[in-house]
């Protein structure tokens, strides 16, 4: 008992110990006996007949004891107490030095020892916290619950509780509305203790078992009394502990689900962006807006190169990363027991692949169109210049011809003059016939320009039509003039044969020189050394004819000199010009000098320059071919080596992953070789080189091969990472993983990375599965195939095989476990309310559940009730929610 004159607010005078256990044990017993409608006043007197002792054991254990004896004799009391002690011993409790006679005789020490044994067994022993039990478990529970509170440091069950803050912290942790903890003072322990005892008795139905003054006035409060009282708090709040455990499970499941939903949203966004870019790019690549000039088309080609060099590579990386993210998400869903992710319509990986294929087809078509258009424009420019040149020559030749043909000079001419006019006309007709080919060439060129859609076709057509109309008119006028001269010729007899011979020989020679001049000025276009060498050979052959042509020229000029000599010899007045032709010796000499001294050297120079250009082009071809012949086989070799690594089982998965990453670094380091090849390819295209016999590899093939190599190494690394993720998540050992890989490879005869149905069945049989060829085995095999090949593709990948084997050997959270956890939070109701969710779960995950749970439709529901069962099954794909 406390000293009656001690004031807790004055200087304390604590005793070394205080007998608080009887009071505490009496209160503890009454807290249970009240449930049976009785209580005790004196703990060592009221248990002497054994009746209330047996009743107490029945209440705290929930079990029936043997029927007590109602007699008043000592033997009846001893028998009742023995029945109680036998029941205690049946629960695994060793009673040392405690006999029925001592209890019946009212031995207080023995009675208290028995009650403490009962409290230990039925109130403390079953307490378990993080693999600790009984006293240690209760102490750990107190430490965990009071850890956030200042001035509270629970290390034992005596002095750690003297200031009363620990009791208040336990109540505030579980029922914060009952305690204003921040207003408590450490220097007022009596007030703190009384506050906790009163609140516990009033609101928690925990009777007052301790006395505040006794605790404060004792150096070391009774440990058993404190443990007994604290155990009542533990059992009062054990429901909250279960709710916390259930909430933790739900938080874990919801966290996984929220993370997966974020990954799904990220995939949908990235897929939408990539598909939108593809849809924007394809119309641009498919557009065919031809230009009228080569510089304009070359700018289009440069825009296309910039797209290939700047805009497309990041999208290639995005596509590869999107496939990796998709595979990782599916692996996480499989490992957490969730249904596979099905992207929105039109955003599947296959849809992206199809869109990418359309993009590359459009890209290839766009490049081919650009090159074709460049060839067409080059051809058009060449033809247009050729047309203008031939038209100018023809128009120059026809100038004045129409006036000359309309002239009626034969009416006043002499016979010699008429004959001269007739011969001159015959020479003109010969010249006219010789020009027929040129007119046909002009018309043919104009027709080809129209067929090739030349932008200035109207002016070409108008000029061609004018030439053709004039040509028809010249033909008609020529015929009319011949008739007039032949009519007059009968009256004229004298003809100067020499002038006539001169005219007949000078005209073809003049035509030959004009044709030679035209050919020497003719533009040419070649693409190979062989073509330019052919032109040089033809030119050399032409030059070899020049000596004979010079002899013909001298012969023609000799005729003219002979005529002049005869006229001078016989005193004949010869007109200043040859009456039969307008081709004078001066004209012949002038054209001859132009051909020999100007046009031939110019042609030599042009051919030599073109030969130099073709030699340069040949060097570019060889340079590109040499580099391409190195890069192409290297890419193919790396593809084969990656394929072998993905099939073989050399080392652990981490070793294979490191090996693959080393390959990836090696591949990235090789990229400058491809960039060098791109530079060489650009030089080839800028030189308008369209073929290369030195290599079978085109830049397009090498680009596709490079992109496939990058995608293959990234996909292979992702597959190994997913295998590691599966192994770690499912607890599969390295030996099991190697065994799975060995079995898979053994039956993968073609090393294609997938098993057919029969190969897969043989593999299952080798692993001990009963899938033999009978009705039961076939049904089991069809069930397994539906799991590993849900799309019915007819093949089983190694990843699907590993997922199946991991599911067969490990366990995961189930929808039933989540439903049971929600049932704990709901207090065993078939529904749960928003208030309960907000009280038991973190705010973010509580709102997540409230937003997605369907209203509860059961008859036992209340307004605002939510259906946690359909929500839980939906998390695992087991409902249509």
């Amino acid at each position: 008992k406390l000293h009656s004159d001690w004031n807790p607010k004055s200087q304390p005078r604590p005793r070394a110990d205080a007998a608080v256990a009887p009071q505490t044990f009496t209160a503890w017993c009454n807290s249970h006996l009240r449930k049976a409608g009785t209580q005790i006043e004196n703990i060592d007197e009221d248990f002497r007949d054994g009746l209330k002792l047996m009743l107490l054991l029945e209440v705290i254990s929930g079990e029936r004891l043997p029927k007590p004896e109602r007699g008043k004799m000592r033997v009846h009391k001893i028998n009742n107490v023995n029945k109680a002690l036998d029941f205690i011993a049946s629960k695994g409790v060793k009673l040392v030095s405690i006999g029925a006679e001592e209890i019946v005789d009212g031995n207080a020490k023995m009675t208290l020892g028995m009650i403490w044994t009962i409290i230990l067994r039925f109130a403390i022993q079953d307490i378990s916290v993080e693999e600790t039990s009984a006293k240690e478990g209760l102490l750990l529970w107190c430490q965990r619950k009071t850890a956030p509170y200042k001035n509270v440091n629970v290390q034992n069950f005596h002095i750690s509780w003297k200031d009363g803050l620990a009791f208040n912290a336990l109540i505030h942790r579980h029922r914060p509305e009952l305690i204003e903890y921040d207003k408590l003072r450490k220097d007022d322990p009596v007030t703190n203790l009384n506050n906790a005892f009163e609140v516990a008795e009033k609101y928690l139905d925990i009777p007052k078992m301790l006395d505040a003054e006794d605790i404060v006035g004792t150096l070391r409060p009774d440990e058993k009394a404190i443990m007994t009282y604290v155990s009542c708090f533990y059992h009062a709040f054990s429901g909250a502990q279960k709710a916390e455990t259930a909430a933790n499970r739900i938080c874990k499941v919801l966290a996984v689900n929220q993370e997966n939903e974020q990954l799904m949203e990220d995939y949908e966004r990235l897929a939408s962006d990539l598909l939108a870019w593809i849809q924007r790019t394809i119309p641009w690549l498919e557009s065919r807006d031809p230009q009228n000039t080569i510089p304009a088309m070359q700018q289009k080609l440069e825009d296309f190169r910039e797209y290939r060099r700047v805009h497309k590579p990041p999208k290639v990386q995005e596509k590869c990363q999107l496939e990796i993210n998709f595979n990782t998400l599916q692996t996480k869903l499989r490992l957490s027991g969730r249904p596979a992710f099905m992207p929105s319509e039109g955003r599947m990986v296959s849809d992206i692949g199809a869109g990418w294929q359309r993009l590359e087809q459009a890209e290839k078509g766009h490049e081919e169109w650009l090159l074709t258009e460049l060839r067409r424009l080059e051809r058009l420019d060449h033809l247009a210049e050729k047309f203008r040149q031939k038209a100018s020559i023809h128009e120059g030749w026809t100038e004045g011809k129409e006036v000359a043909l309309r002239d009626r000079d034969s009416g006043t001419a002499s016979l010699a003059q008429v004959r001269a006019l007739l011969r001159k006309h015959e020479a003109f007709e010969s010249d006219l016939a010789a020009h027929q080919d040129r007119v046909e060439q002009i018309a043919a060129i104009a027709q080809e320009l129209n067929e090739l859609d030349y932008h200035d076709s109207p002016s070409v057509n108008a000029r061609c039509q004018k030439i053709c109309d004039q040509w028809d008119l010249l033909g008609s006028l020529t015929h009319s003039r011949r008739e007039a001269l032949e009519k007059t010729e009968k009256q004229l007899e004298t003809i100067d044969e020499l002038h006539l011979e001169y005219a007949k020989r000078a005209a073809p020679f003049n035509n030959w020189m004009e044709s030679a001049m035209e050919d020497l000025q003719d533009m040419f276009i070649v693409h190979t050394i062989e073509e330019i060498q052919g032109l040089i050979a033809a030119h050399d052959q032409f030059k070899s004819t020049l000596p004979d042509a010079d002899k013909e020229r001298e012969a023609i000029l000799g005729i003219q000199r002979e005529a002049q000599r005869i006229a001078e010899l016989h005193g004949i007045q010869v007109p200043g010009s040859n009456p039969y032709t307008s081709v004078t010796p001066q004209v012949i000499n002038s054209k001859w000098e132009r051909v020999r001294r100007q046009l031939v050297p110019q042609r030599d120079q042009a051919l030599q320059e073109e030969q130099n250009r073709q030699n340069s082009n040949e060097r570019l071809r060889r340079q590109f071919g040499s580099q391409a012949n190195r890069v192409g086989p290297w890419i193919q070799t790396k593809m084969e080596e990656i394929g072998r690594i993905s099939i073989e089982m050399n080392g652990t998965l981490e070793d294979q992953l490191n090996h693959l990453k080393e390959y990836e670094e090696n591949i990235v380091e090789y990229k400058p070789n491809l960039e060098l090849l791109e530079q060489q390819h650009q030089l080839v295209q800028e030189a308008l080189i369209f073929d290369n016999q030195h290599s079978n590899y085109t830049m397009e093939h090498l680009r596709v091969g490079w992109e496939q190599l990058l995608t293959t190494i990234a996909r292979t690394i992702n597959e190994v990472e997913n295998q590691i993720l599966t192994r770690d998540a499912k607890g599969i050992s390295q030996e099991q993983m190697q065994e799975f890989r060995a079995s898979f490879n053994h039956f993968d005869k073609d090393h294609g990375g997938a098993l057919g149905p029969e190969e897969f069945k043989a593999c299952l049989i080798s692993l001990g599965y009963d899938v033999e060829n009978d009705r039961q085995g076939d049904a089991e095999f069809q069930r397994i195939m539906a799991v590993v090949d849900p799309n019915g593709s007819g093949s089983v990948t190694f990843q699907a095989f590993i997922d199946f084997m991991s599911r067969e050997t490990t366990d995961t959270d189930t929808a039933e476990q989540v439903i049971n956890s929600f049932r704990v939070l709901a207090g065993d109701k078939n529904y749960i309310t928003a208030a309960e969710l907000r009280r038991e779960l973190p705010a973010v995950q509580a709102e997540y559940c409230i937003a997605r749970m369907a209203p509860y439709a059961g008859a036992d529901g209340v307004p605002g009730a939510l259906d946690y069962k359909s929500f839980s099954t939906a998390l695992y794909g087991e409902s249509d929610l």
Side-chain angles (χ1 to χ4, degrees):
K1 295 181 180 180
L2 292 170
H3 295 282
S4 60
D5 59 345
W6 180 65
N7 186 349
K9 295 186 179 180
S10 65
Q11 182 67 30
R13 295 182 298 170
R15 298 187 304 276
D17 195 3
V20 296
Q23 174 189 346
T24 304
F25 289 178
T26 299
W28 183 86
C29 292
N30 284 332
S31 69
H32 293 285
L33 288 172
R34 274 199 299 270
K35 300 176 183 178
T38 186
Q39 62 181 7
I40 61 173
E41 296 291 334
N42 190 313
I43 195 167
D44 53 343
E45 289 293 329
D46 292 350
F47 283 145
R48 292 179 63 184
D49 61 359
L51 294 176
K52 290 186 178 181
L53 178 61
M54 295 180 68
L55 183 61
L56 174 65
L57 290 172
E58 287 184 346
V59 171
I60 63 178
S61 68
E63 300 179 18
R64 297 289 297 176
L65 272 69
K67 186 176 180 179
E69 297 179 13
R70 300 291 181 178
K72 300 294 185 179
M73 299 177 64
R74 176 180 174 82
V75 66
H76 296 147
K77 297 178 181 180
I78 291 175
N79 289 340
N80 288 338
V81 174
N82 276 328
K83 291 177 182 180
L85 294 178
D86 290 341
F87 178 80
I88 295 171
S90 69
K91 297 302 180 181
V93 179
K94 293 182 179 180
L95 299 172
V96 181
S97 302
I98 298 177
E101 290 79 8
E102 287 84 358
I103 305 301
V104 172
D105 291 338
N107 188 320
K109 181 177 181 179
M110 292 297 179
T111 302
L112 290 174
M114 179 189 66
I115 296 302
W116 174 241
T117 301
I118 292 172
I119 291 172
L120 281 177
R121 172 60 183 84
F122 294 99
I124 298 176
Q125 179 176 317
D126 292 334
I127 295 174
S128 177
V129 178
E130 296 187 6
E131 300 182 357
T132 62
S133 60
K135 179 181 178 180
E136 292 79 13
L138 184 60
L139 181 62
L140 179 60
W141 179 79
C142 294
Q143 291 171 341
R144 294 294 170 81
K145 295 300 181 181
T146 61
Y149 294 86
K150 63 181 180 179
N151 297 326
V152 177
N153 183 19
V154 178
Q155 298 297 327
N156 49 55
F157 286 106
H158 37 82
I159 60 175
S160 295
W161 303 83
K162 288 187 65 175
D163 59 9
L165 293 177
F167 290 107
N168 284 278
L170 280 178
I171 297 173
H172 184 268
R173 179 64 182 271
H174 295 90
R175 296 287 300 277
E177 73 277 9
L178 300 179
I179 298 290
E180 294 183 47
Y181 186 84
D182 294 333
K183 294 183 178 181
L184 299 176
R185 303 200 324 268
K186 186 175 179 66
D187 59 353
D188 192 4
V190 174
T191 300
N192 298 341
L193 290 166
N194 284 328
N195 181 66
F197 297 160
E198 291 169 4
V199 170
E201 186 174 31
K202 183 176 181 180
Y203 296 100
L204 303 179
D205 200 25
I206 298 175
K208 185 176 181 181
M209 300 182 183
L210 303 173
D211 186 88
E213 285 76 13
D214 281 342
I215 295 175
V216 173
T218 305
L219 287 176
R220 190 175 187 274
D222 187 79
E223 186 180 58
K224 296 177 182 178
I226 299 294
M227 286 179 62
T228 301
Y229 190 58
V230 172
S231 69
C232 294
F233 283 91
Y234 174 86
H235 291 291
F237 296 135
S238 61
Q241 181 71 23
K242 293 179 182 179
E244 181 179 350
T245 302
N248 289 337
R249 176 181 290 274
I250 292 174
C251 287
K252 175 184 175 183
V253 172
L254 293 179
V256 171
N257 210 62
Q258 288 173 310
E259 180 184 359
N260 291 339
E261 286 186 357
Q262 184 62 45
L263 289 174
M264 294 176 190
E265 292 175 2
D266 292 343
Y267 173 87
E268 291 282 348
R269 176 178 54 78
L270 291 175
S272 298
D273 293 344
L274 184 57
L275 286 171
W277 178 81
I278 292 174
Q279 292 170 357
R280 290 194 307 271
T281 306
I282 287 178
W284 175 69
L285 292 173
E286 290 178 343
S287 66
R288 299 295 184 264
D289 182 19
Q291 302 297 313
N292 294 331
T293 64
I294 290 180
M297 285 305 299
Q298 286 177 333
Q299 181 59 46
K300 277 186 169 290
L301 182 60
E302 181 59 31
D303 293 342
F304 178 73
R305 289 179 185 141
E306 183 179 3
Y307 154 78
R308 295 286 287 272
R309 184 173 59 253
V310 177
H311 300 292
K312 184 183 177 185
K315 299 303 178 182
V316 173
Q317 183 64 30
E318 287 180 15
K319 175 178 175 290
C320 179
Q321 189 61 44
L322 194 65
E323 293 176 356
I324 291 174
N325 291 350
F326 181 83
N327 293 335
T328 301
L329 173 61
Q330 298 293 41
T331 299
K332 288 186 177 181
L333 290 173
R334 286 195 300 270
L335 294 178
S336 60
R338 270 60 169 183
F341 169 54
M342 183 64 64
S344 303
E345 183 177 358
R347 295 189 179 96
M348 297 287 291
V349 173
S350 58
D351 296 326
I352 295 173
W356 193 264
Q357 185 176 5
R358 292 195 303 273
L359 175 74
E360 292 186 333
Q361 290 174 349
E363 183 178 302
K364 181 179 179 182
H366 190 70
E367 185 176 25
E368 292 175 351
W369 173 76
L370 288 173
L371 296 177
T372 301
E373 278 297 298
L374 280 173
R375 294 191 191 100
R376 184 182 70 86
L377 290 174
E378 184 182 28
R379 174 66 176 166
L380 283 174
D381 284 355
H382 170 70
L383 288 175
E385 182 62 26
K386 192 171 184 179
F387 173 84
R388 287 190 289 268
Q389 186 183 70
K390 289 185 177 292
S392 297
I393 293 172
H394 178 77
E395 289 167 347
W397 177 83
T398 59
E399 184 177 0
K401 295 294 190 295
E402 182 179 345
V403 175
L405 290 173
R406 292 180 183 276
D407 190 10
R408 293 294 181 258
D409 55 345
S410 61
T412 59
S414 63
L415 178 61
Q417 291 173 328
V418 170
R419 288 185 174 181
L421 290 174
L422 185 57
R423 299 301 181 267
K424 182 179 179 180
H425 187 69
E426 289 176 352
F428 172 77
E429 286 180 328
S430 177
D431 197 11
L432 187 68
H435 278 77
Q436 178 69 33
D437 289 340
R438 181 182 291 117
V439 175
E440 292 175 356
Q441 289 174 7
I442 292 172
I445 293 173
Q447 179 64 28
E448 188 171 358
L449 287 171
N450 280 278
E451 292 173 354
L452 293 177
D453 196 20
Y454 181 57
H455 69 280
D456 199 21
S457 292
S459 64
V460 170
N461 293 336
R463 191 172 183 181
C464 181
Q465 186 61 45
K466 181 179 178 182
I467 290 172
C468 291
D469 292 343
Q470 187 186 38
W471 185 256
D472 293 339
L473 179 60
L474 288 176
S476 176
L477 292 176
T478 299
H479 180 70
S480 299
R481 184 170 177 79
R482 167 171 278 279
E483 289 180 347
L485 290 174
E486 287 178 346
K487 182 178 180 180
T488 308
E489 186 186 19
K490 296 178 182 179
Q491 304 170 1
L492 301 175
E493 297 177 352
T494 306
I495 298 225
D496 190 344
E497 294 293 336
L498 288 175
H499 281 184
L500 182 58
E501 184 180 359
Y502 171 88
K504 286 183 177 181
R505 295 184 66 177
F509 185 74
N510 184 59
N511 287 335
W512 176 85
M513 284 195 297
E514 289 182 350
S515 297
M517 293 168 63
E518 183 178 346
D519 292 338
L520 290 172
Q521 297 177 84
D522 191 12
M523 298 185 65
F524 58 84
I525 177 172
V526 296
H527 297 95
T528 65
I529 291 179
E530 290 76 11
E531 292 177 357
I532 189 61
Q533 288 175 346
L535 289 178
I536 291 174
H539 183 60
D540 290 341
Q541 184 179 3
F542 166 75
K543 289 194 293 184
S544 67
T545 64
L546 290 180
D548 293 336
D550 190 46
K551 292 178 182 179
E552 177 65 13
R553 181 183 66 86
E554 288 295 335
I556 293 173
L557 294 178
I559 294 172
Q560 179 65 22
R561 288 193 295 270
E562 180 65 16
Q564 292 177 354
R565 186 185 68 80
I566 294 173
E568 292 174 358
L569 181 62
H570 298 282
I572 301 173
Q573 293 296 325
V574 180
S577 60
N578 193 318
Y580 303 113
T581 180
S582 61
V583 181
T584 65
Q586 292 77 16
V587 171
I588 292 176
N589 285 331
S590 175
K591 290 182 178 180
W592 175 257
E593 287 300 315
R594 187 180 179 204
V595 168
R596 190 167 62 90
R597 300 188 181 278
Q598 179 181 351
L599 297 181
V600 169
Q602 289 178 354
R603 188 70 166 183
D604 287 337
Q605 182 181 357
L607 291 173
Q608 184 60 46
E609 290 175 353
E610 181 62 27
Q611 185 178 33
N612 293 338
R613 190 175 75 87
Q614 289 303 322
N615 287 332
S616 174
N617 290 352
E618 182 65 15
R619 286 193 297 273
L620 291 177
R621 289 189 184 96
R622 292 181 182 275
Q623 187 180 42
F624 176 84
S626 176
Q627 182 71 1
N629 290 335
R630 288 193 296 271
V631 173
W634 184 90
I635 291 175
Q636 181 63 31
T637 300
K638 292 301 176 183
M639 289 287 288
E640 294 172 357
E641 291 176 355
I642 292 170
R644 286 197 299 272
I645 292 173
S646 64
I647 294 175
E648 296 172 354
M649 298 184 299
N650 295 329
T652 65
L653 289 176
E654 285 76 6
D655 293 339
Q656 297 177 30
L657 181 61
N658 292 334
H659 197 187
L660 286 171
K661 288 185 176 179
E662 289 176 2
Y663 264 84
E664 186 178 35
E665 291 176 1
N666 180 257
I667 290 170
V668 172
E669 290 173 357
Y670 195 77
K671 187 177 181 180
N673 291 278
L674 196 72
E675 293 174 346
L676 174 61
L677 196 62
E678 286 282 6
Q679 295 172 2
Q680 294 172 349
H681 179 64
Q682 181 173 350
L683 293 176
V684 168
Q685 287 195 327
E686 289 173 353
L688 298 178
I689 299 173
F690 305 114
D691 51 14
N692 191 344
Q693 70 275 21
H694 299 295
S695 176
N696 293 327
Y697 294 101
T698 66
M699 196 64 235
E700 178 63 27
H701 294 157
L702 294 175
R703 289 193 194 105
V704 172
W706 179 257
E707 292 171 1
Q708 289 177 348
L709 178 60
L710 292 179
T711 302
T712 300
I713 187 65
R715 187 183 297 115
T716 304
I717 289 174
N718 179 249
E719 289 176 356
V720 176
E721 289 174 341
N722 285 341
Q723 291 176 24
I724 293 174
L725 184 62
T726 301
R727 181 197 67 191
D728 295 342
K730 299 298 185 178
I732 300 174
S733 67
Q734 182 65 34
E735 290 75 15
Q736 286 177 308
M737 186 65 73
Q738 289 181 345
E739 180 184 355
F740 294 158
R741 169 57 83 178
S743 300
F744 188 89
N745 287 348
H746 176 74
F747 292 96
D748 186 11
K749 302 300 183 183
D750 59 356
H751 303 293
L755 299 180
E758 293 303 321
E759 293 174 333
F760 181 55
K761 177 182 281 189
C763 184
L764 291 177
I765 293 173
S766 72
L767 293 173
Y769 285 82
D770 185 11
V771 290
E772 298 292 345
N773 293 326
D774 53 33
R775 178 177 300 178
Q776 183 176 358
D778 290 341
E780 176 65 9
F781 180 69
Q782 292 302 321
R783 180 191 71 80
I784 295 175
M785 281 300 293
V787 173
V788 299
D789 184 22
N791 297 327
S793 63
S795 63
V796 181
T797 64
F798 180 66
Q799 185 61 45
F801 175 71
I802 287 297
D803 290 342
F804 169 73
M805 295 306 298
S806 63
R807 284 197 297 271
E808 292 292 309
T809 57
T810 58
D811 189 18
T812 58
D813 289 333
T814 64
E816 186 63 30
Q817 291 175 324
V818 178
I819 291 174
N820 292 336
S821 298
F822 274 117
R823 184 178 286 112
V824 171
L825 299 187
D828 285 334
K829 300 192 296 295
N830 291 326
Y831 59 86
I832 194 167
T833 66
E836 290 170 332
L837 288 171
R838 292 189 176 104
R839 186 180 69 229
E840 302 295 348
L841 298 179
V844 174
Q845 295 184 333
E847 297 304 325
Y848 176 85
C849 293
I850 294 170
R852 286 165 172 76
M853 281 189 183
Y856 179 71
D860 56 338
V862 299
L866 301 174
D867 187 354
Y868 62 79
K869 293 183 179 179
S870 62
F871 173 77
S872 300
T873 55
L875 291 176
Y876 291 85
E878 299 176 8
S879 77
D880 296 331
L881 184 61

